[in-house]
Amino acid sequence: MSIQNKGKIIIIGAGIAGLSSAFYLVNDGWQVEVLEQNDLGNSCSYGNAGMIVPSHFTPLAAPGVVTQGIRWMFDSKSPFYVKPTLASISWGLKFLKHSNQAHVDRSAANLRDLHLASSKLFNQWATLDGFDFELTQKGILMLFKTEKLGHEEAELAHTARGLGLDVDVLDQQATQALEPNAELDVLGAVHYKCDGHLYPQKLMANLIQYLQNKGVVIHTRHTVSEIEVANHQVKALVANDKKFAADKFVMTGGSWLPQLAKKAGLRVSLMPGKGYSFMHTPVDDSRGLIHSALLLEARVAVTPMNGQIRFGGTMELAPFNNKVNINRVEGIVRAVPDYLPDFKMDIPKVKNIWYGYRPCSPDGLPYLGATKKLDNLIIAGGTGMMGLSLGPIVGHTVAEIANEQKISVNISQYSPDRFQ
């Protein structure tokens, strides 16, 4: 029996949020078109660490982040930098307001539920014909070298257990036992067994092929130049001098969400957080990693994928630019052997360094829901460093909103209108 056609819906953005939304919408009977300003293959959904992280129940806006960030700003190789601009000052004042324990406590359970629901959906995707994206649900190791950070992580692990997450605190010997093929120079680790990882390039390729097979039309190199609004509704989009009309619209757009929203008369507070990654091939195939890991003091992500290791990190909150800050990349390279002595690397050539922009909201929470100002527009973005992990549940929720169904997760904190 064929699914009844529910109408036409246009999605702006072919990152993980946009493609996940298309996945659930087309399967619910919508005619779906996607407008993407670039080619398929260079969004933040491709070069990230590929981590699925129920462990990330603490939003970016949290106690201590501001103080640490100020210290890091004066180190050219540090993992964090904010370029002072009018936009960053406005964003920063909102960030300061939310960097408190009460905000963390209010947010934790909802973020946990989002990630756990998304992890289950990843498991479902992995069973589909044509889907093979190296999904590994063995957990993530939070590696630490100092007693101070070990104590802080143990306290966070205690909170995680209180939230029902599967987590162990390990000493050096137990940590090393989980990685028998690589030497670890750490005091210990927290093992979030609820976490996992995958290979983003394969996932995105799987989604694109699936959607095209389902009849979803993806228009690449189509930048939305105008959004036509009338009677509290979006009527059409203009891209490449062509008009695209639909019954409903979904606005993703990653770090370009504020510019898109402005075209519709909306204000979304967001800063692009530039991050870098590169791939490394171990000299000896037998000296690889089994788990993905975070090198905590250095703020470096490490993920085995496609027979290689992806290293990534840094957060530059600054206007868009096409420059690779080699000092930040050097900071990643130099930090790795402090934890993983087997991985002594040269600084990669610029052509081998990937960078992308994480869409960071000032309270560290997503924008997910319908906007009250326009009846037929759904906004999905602002997921920061959690974008890939939350992709499936964001798409699933977008479809529930479009179908006017009961929402299966609590999105009350994620209103896209909250900073209007």
Side-chain angles (χ1 to χ4, degrees):
M1 184 176 66
S2 62
I3 300 175
Q4 182 180 359
N5 191 312
K6 294 183 177 179
K8 184 176 180 180
I9 194 161
I10 291 178
I11 300 168
I12 308 174
I16 186 64
L19 296 186
S20 298
S21 298
F23 176 93
Y24 290 104
L25 287 165
V26 73
N27 284 322
D28 284 341
W30 289 89
Q31 178 191 349
V32 181
E33 290 190 39
V34 181
L35 303 182
E36 168 55 42
Q37 65 178 346
N38 298 307
D39 292 325
L40 298 176
N42 57 358
S43 75
C44 206
S45 302
Y46 289 82
N48 63 72
M51 294 180 174
I52 303 166
V53 284
S55 59
H56 286 38
F57 56 84
T58 301
L60 180 62
V65 173
V66 175
T67 303
Q68 179 65 71
I70 291 172
R71 288 198 296 265
W72 273 334
M73 281 184 67
F74 300 100
D75 179 358
S76 66
K77 296 181 175 63
S78 75
F80 183 79
Y81 173 73
V82 179
K83 183 174 183 177
T85 63
L86 287 176
S88 67
I89 291 170
S90 174
W91 183 94
L93 290 173
K94 297 182 183 74
F95 186 86
L96 280 170
K97 180 181 177 181
H98 290 88
S99 296
N100 56 72
Q101 192 59 46
H103 174 62
V104 171
D105 293 343
R106 283 194 303 269
S107 307
N110 287 343
L111 279 178
R112 170 207 61 194
D113 290 346
L114 273 187
H115 282 292
L116 289 175
S118 211
S119 183
K120 290 179 180 178
L121 294 175
F122 272 124
N123 291 339
Q124 292 176 14
W125 284 6
T127 66
L128 298 174
D129 289 340
F131 274 66
D132 176 15
F133 47 92
E134 299 183 17
L135 180 64
T136 304
Q137 297 280 24
K138 294 181 179 179
I140 290 178
L141 295 173
M142 309 293 183
L143 301 173
F144 56 85
K145 291 181 67 69
T146 62
E147 291 185 1
K148 178 179 182 294
L149 196 53
H151 177 71
E152 292 173 0
E153 288 299 312
E155 288 187 344
L156 191 61
H158 177 74
T159 301
R161 290 194 194 98
L163 289 167
L165 298 178
D166 191 3
V167 54
D168 287 337
V169 179
L170 309 175
D171 60 16
Q172 193 282 333
Q173 186 175 2
T175 305
Q176 183 65 76
L178 287 177
E179 289 292 346
N181 301 325
E183 180 186 353
L184 303 181
D185 185 3
V186 297
L187 285 183
V190 176
H191 184 200
Y192 282 88
K193 294 186 283 186
C194 51
D195 288 4
H197 68 266
L198 53 82
Y199 185 28
Q201 273 88 340
K202 281 190 176 180
L203 172 67
M204 299 299 284
N206 291 166
L207 279 171
I208 290 166
Q209 187 62 60
Y210 179 91
L211 294 173
Q212 290 175 336
N213 290 344
K214 286 278 189 174
V216 174
V217 178
I218 303 176
H219 303 274
T220 58
R221 294 199 171 276
H222 275 62
T223 300
V224 174
S225 58
E226 184 181 349
I227 298 177
E228 297 182 1
V229 174
N231 299 321
H232 301 287
Q233 288 195 332
V234 174
K235 296 299 182 181
L237 309 175
V238 178
N240 293 22
D241 296 322
K242 294 179 287 186
K243 187 175 289 190
F244 296 84
D247 300 292
K248 294 189 179 184
F249 297 83
V250 180
M251 186 181 288
T252 65
S255 291
W256 287 264
L257 181 58
Q259 292 90 326
L260 283 169
K262 188 176 181 180
K263 296 179 192 301
L266 305 173
R267 185 170 66 248
V268 174
S269 183
L270 200 71
M271 281 292 291
K274 191 175 186 179
Y276 299 95
S277 73
F278 56 88
M279 301 297 288
H280 172 73
T281 303
V283 177
D284 185 347
D285 290 342
S286 66
R287 303 296 287 174
L289 293 173
I290 297 171
H291 301 80
S292 52
L294 290 174
L295 315 182
L296 291 177
E297 289 87 353
R299 298 297 197 274
V300 171
V302 184
T303 309
M305 57 177 71
N306 197 38
Q308 297 176 292
I309 306 289
R310 175 168 289 171
F311 296 99
T314 81
M315 176 72 84
E316 293 180 16
L317 294 170
F320 297 109
N321 65 80
N322 296 320
K323 297 179 180 179
V324 170
N325 187 330
I326 203 68
N327 284 332
R328 304 270 173 210
V329 178
E330 183 181 349
I332 297 172
V333 172
R334 300 289 181 248
V336 171
D338 289 342
Y339 299 77
L340 305 166
D342 292 337
F343 295 92
K344 293 182 173 66
M345 302 168 290
D346 295 327
I347 298 172
K349 295 179 180 179
V350 171
K351 67 178 183 179
N352 296 325
I353 299 169
W354 176 93
Y355 65 86
Y357 298 94
R358 311 176 189 94
C360 300
S361 69
D363 58 4
L365 300 177
Y367 294 112
L368 181 56
T371 173
K372 293 179 180 178
K373 295 193 174 184
L374 296 168
D375 298 336
N376 63 339
L377 176 64
I378 302 166
I379 294 178
T383 47
M385 295 180 289
M386 305 179 292
L388 182 99
S389 182
L390 294 177
I393 192 58
V394 165
H396 190 268
T397 304
V398 165
E400 288 177 329
I401 296 169
N403 296 328
E404 300 180 6
Q405 297 171 332
K406 181 180 179 181
I407 310 302
S408 55
V409 289
N410 187 345
I411 60 171
S412 59
Q413 285 186 281
Y414 310 141
S415 169
D417 300 323
R418 64 186 185 270
F419 294 115
Q420 289 288 332

